């Protein structure tokens, strides 16, 4: 399997079925209106910062301040645990590259909030467990069982699951 992206870690915590669809190139997200809005916020809010650092052709960091503080920009706090784990994954990758990462910051420009995130040793263990689980899910020949969620109606894969 190709490298695990931040988006895959995010989807793992949102919905494992969504992760499977995404990993099997059923990538509907660029046409989703909600994702489009997220990108617009991103482009308008941080134009003075150095942005979009691509690592190993896989990890796309929104921006990195002083090589120590990793920022991830989100449009809302609706699926915050997934955003936190995505950011912690980025911090883990950068640490493995030899950087001394001080903290992560989840930015919510639309609501003018930010949240400071620290990476603990327990988090690093959880990330490794998550990466193993992601590899197993992606290797399934079929998508994982359908579990209906409150977010389904806004999901780009809704038609795959319910129609
Ligand atoms: S519609 Fe719901 S169950 Fe299906 S992929 Fe999206 S979030 Fe997951």
């Amino acid at each position: 399997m190709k490298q695990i992206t931040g988006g895959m870690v995010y989807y793992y915590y949102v919905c494992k079925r969504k992760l499977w669809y995404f990993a099997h190139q059923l990538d509907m997200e660029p046409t989703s209106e909600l994702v489009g809005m997220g990108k617009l916020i991103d482009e308008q809010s941080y134009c003075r910062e150095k942005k979009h650092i691509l690592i190993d052709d896989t990890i796309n960091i929104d921006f990195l301040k002083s090589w120590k503080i990793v920022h991830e920009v989100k449009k809302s706090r609706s699926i915050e645990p997934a955003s936190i784990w995505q950011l912690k994954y980025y911090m883990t990758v950068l640490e493995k590259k030899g950087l001394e990462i001080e903290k992560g910051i989840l930015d919510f420009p639309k609501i003018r909030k930010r949240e400071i995130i620290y990476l603990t040793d327990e988090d690093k263990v959880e990330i490794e467990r998550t990466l193993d689980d992601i590899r197993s899910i992606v290797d399934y020949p079929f998508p994982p069982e359908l579990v209906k969620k409150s977010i389904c109606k806004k999901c780009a894969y809704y038609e795959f699951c319910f129609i």
Side-chain angles (χ1 to χ4, degrees), residues 14-19 21 144-162:
V14 172
C15 170
K16 294 177 176 56
R17 194 170 164 98
K18 186 165 177 151
L19 163 65
Y21 283 138
E145 191 182 342
L146 175 59
V147 180
K148 195 172 180 182
K149 302 171 183 60
S150 60
I151 57 164
C152 287
K153 285 203 169 152
K154 290 182 179 172
C155 175
Y157 297 105
Y158 182 81
E159 289 183 16
F160 284 89
C161 291
F162 294 100

Side-chain angles (χ1 to χ4, degrees), residues 19-35:
L19 163 65
W20 189 94
Y21 283 138
F22 177 79
H24 287 257
Q25 266 84 52
L26 297 169
D27 186 1
M28 305 286 284
E29 294 291 42
T31 59
S32 157
E33 194 178 317
L34 288 172
V35 170

Side-chain angles (χ1 to χ4, degrees), residues 41-79:
I41 289 168
D42 178 31
E43 281 160 17
Q44 289 177 346
S45 304
Y46 293 95
C47 48
R48 286 191 302 276
E49 299 280 352
K50 182 168 168 48
K51 300 193 304 178
H52 300 309
I53 300 159
L54 187 64
I55 296 176
D56 294 341
D57 263 343
T58 304
I59 305 295
N60 194 346
I61 306 240
D62 281 345
F63 58 92
L64 188 58
K65 190 173 180 189
S66 310
W67 299 102
K68 287 183 173 180
I69 304 172
V70 192
H71 287 254
E72 174 67 15
V73 181
K74 294 292 182 191
K75 67 183 186 317
S76 84
R77 301 179 89 151
S78 60
I79 316 179

Side-chain angles (χ1 to χ4, degrees), residues 123-136:
D123 292 336
K124 291 177 192 173
V125 173
E126 170 67 10
I127 297 259
E128 292 307 320
R129 188 202 61 74
T130 296
L131 297 182
D132 284 344
D133 210 16
I134 287 174
R135 288 186 195 97
S136 306

